[in-house]
Amino acid sequence: MSIKLYTVGGDGTMSGAVEIFHEICRRKLNIVTGIPKTVDNDVGIIDRSFGFQTAVEMAQQAISAAHVEAESAVNGIGLVKLMGRSTGHIALMQH
């Protein structure tokens, strides 16, 4: 019997896939495949996850808009809070 399970998601989903994988091994079945998808890009086994580049591009637009807004006022400040659960990969990718 061949079972294929594709999981798409972040580290929580991948953790769940590992548990399912252990059960499949225990039952001597076939395979679990995980497809990491997280805008944080915080899954350690990959270089870049689905959604990460889009999140970076959207962050760059927000930063650009905050910059324009800050420059248009005397002593203006532009503040953009970027997500990143533990390492802030999106913030690190800004130019």
Side-chain angles (χ1 to χ4, degrees):
M1 180 179 196
S2 177
I3 295 176
K4 296 195 188 322
L5 170 66
Y6 297 95
T7 58
V8 180
D11 60 343
T13 303
M14 294 301 116
S15 295
V18 168
E19 294 302 317
I20 294 169
F21 170 75
H22 291 311
E23 182 62 22
I24 286 174
C25 288
R26 188 184 71 73
R27 295 182 187 196
K28 296 184 181 359
L29 299 173
N30 240 351
I31 191 169
V32 171
T33 301
I35 303 169
K37 181 202 77 62
T38 170
V39 297
D40 286 333
N41 203 43
D42 61 354
V43 179
I45 60 172
I46 60 168
D47 292 326
R48 185 172 291 167
S49 62
F50 291 112
F52 177 66
Q53 190 61 40
T54 302
V56 169
E57 290 170 10
M58 295 296 103
Q60 287 172 338
Q61 288 179 15
I63 290 168
S64 178
H67 178 76
V68 169
E69 185 72 24
E71 292 235 321
S72 68
V74 176
N75 297 322
I77 296 174
L79 178 65
V80 177
K81 181 179 177 183
L82 298 176
M83 66 180 294
R85 183 177 324 158
S86 59
T87 57
H89 285 95
I90 295 172
L92 291 172
M93 290 297 295
Q94 300 310 307
H95 303 292

